[in-house]
Amino acid sequence: MSNHTYRVTEIVGTSHEGIDQAVRNGISRASQTLRNLDWFEVTQVRGQIENGVIEHWQACLKVGFRIDDAD
């Protein structure tokens, strides 16, 4: 098994539907530009309230991705 080195970056996923979808939206979008995504950690959950109703969810995430090996 190889030793890996990871880079960690922070992103914020958003959704009108809920926390789960905000996380999924963030990971889906990050995977379009970052290679070797391996893990994530939810660090914060926030939301926007309008007229006493939750209108928008934000999931703050740390995502880890492997740095490419120098072959």
Side-chain angles (χ1 to χ4, degrees):
M1 181 172 182
S2 299
N3 293 325
H4 297 294
T5 301
Y6 291 88
R7 171 90 184 186
V8 178
T9 191
E10 294 185 77
I11 63 172
V12 179
T14 63
S15 173
H16 290 286
E17 299 170 22
I19 298 166
D20 182 69
Q21 193 58 48
V23 171
R24 292 177 187 280
N25 289 346
I27 296 299
S28 176
R29 179 61 183 91
S31 70
Q32 293 175 20
T33 56
L34 298 173
R35 294 188 313 271
N36 304 321
L37 286 176
D38 275 354
W39 58 267
F40 72 92
E41 172 186 358
V42 177
T43 58
Q44 291 182 22
V45 175
R46 297 190 295 246
Q48 179 183 2
I49 301 168
E50 291 184 17
N51 300 317
V53 177
I54 298 172
E55 284 294 320
H56 206 85
W57 294 89
Q58 293 181 338
C60 302
L61 309 167
K62 287 185 180 178
V63 292
F65 54 96
R66 280 178 283 114
I67 295 175
D68 287 335
D69 293 330
D71 291 338

